[in-house]
Amino acid sequence: MIYINEINNIHIENCFLLDSETLKMWNIEQWAQEISKMNTKAFGFFENKKLIGVCVFQKVISEAEVTFLTIHPNHQRKGFGKKLINHLLTICEKENIRRIILEVSNKNKEALYFYEECGFKTIGLRRKYYRDGSDAILKEKKV
């Protein structure tokens, strides 16, 4: 059975393990810090209690900034990413959030295509933002 559920402190290790297989963004301490922030909300896809996808965002007044979104490689290209975005949109509507923003590396062509397919528009660029020297493309979606 596959379902979406809220992510909290009991899921930190699972988030870290999924991250280490995909984006490699945060260590386990950073996951603990991120999940414990007051304005952070997180939810994920679970398959038989195993975490297969995560979305983390910060709510700031009427905006949501996505800080992390990934799907396990074995479950990519099956619609789970779009379902996470749709769930995020539902949360945003309930919480009167009017805009979603995020950033993605200009080298991550698959993610750029995915976000465009989900209706995100490019609104800016941060040159040489990432450790590898790639640029951060800033994206926005109005809710």
Side-chain angles (χ1 to χ4, degrees):
M1 176 168 83
I2 296 177
Y3 57 94
I4 292 178
N5 205 0
E6 184 177 328
I7 298 285
N8 57 42
N9 288 334
I10 65 169
H11 302 107
I12 289 170
E13 186 174 340
N14 293 328
C15 289
F16 169 71
L17 292 173
L18 178 60
D19 184 7
S20 67
E21 293 184 60
T22 57
L23 300 176
K24 299 172 179 62
M25 279 184 46
W26 298 331
N27 62 37
I28 199 156
E29 292 83 15
Q30 289 168 312
W31 270 102
Q33 289 172 355
E34 191 69 21
I35 296 299
S36 67
K37 288 179 183 175
M38 182 182 295
N39 293 330
T40 295
K41 296 184 182 279
F43 55 91
F45 259 113
F46 293 83
E47 180 178 47
N48 301 322
K49 299 185 180 182
K50 179 178 169 42
L51 186 63
I52 63 169
V54 172
C55 178
V56 180
F57 69 96
Q58 300 265 329
K59 180 182 176 188
V60 181
I61 307 171
S62 63
E63 288 185 353
E65 181 180 356
V66 175
T67 56
F68 189 89
L69 191 143
T70 195
I71 301 293
H72 189 278
N74 293 343
H75 296 279
Q76 291 177 358
R77 293 176 193 77
K78 296 180 182 177
F80 293 115
K82 286 186 180 176
K83 288 179 182 178
L84 283 179
I85 293 292
N86 288 336
H87 189 74
L88 174 60
L89 288 168
T90 299
I91 292 170
C92 289
E93 288 171 1
K94 287 179 184 174
E95 298 201 12
N96 207 26
I97 294 171
R98 297 287 157 233
R99 177 172 104 129
I100 302 169
I101 57 174
L102 57 85
E103 65 185 42
V104 61
S105 170
N106 67 312
K107 291 183 179 179
N108 192 342
K109 303 299 182 198
E110 289 180 12
L112 287 167
Y113 177 77
F114 168 76
Y115 289 122
E116 287 172 19
E117 286 290 304
C118 291
F120 285 83
K121 305 292 182 206
T122 299
I123 59 168
L125 174 74
R126 293 181 178 144
R127 295 204 181 276
K128 300 184 184 203
Y129 182 75
Y130 297 108
R131 282 182 230 142
D132 68 358
S134 63
D135 299 335
I137 306 291
L138 304 173
K139 297 276 194 186
E140 169 191 68
K141 180 174 178 70
K142 304 279 186 180
V143 178

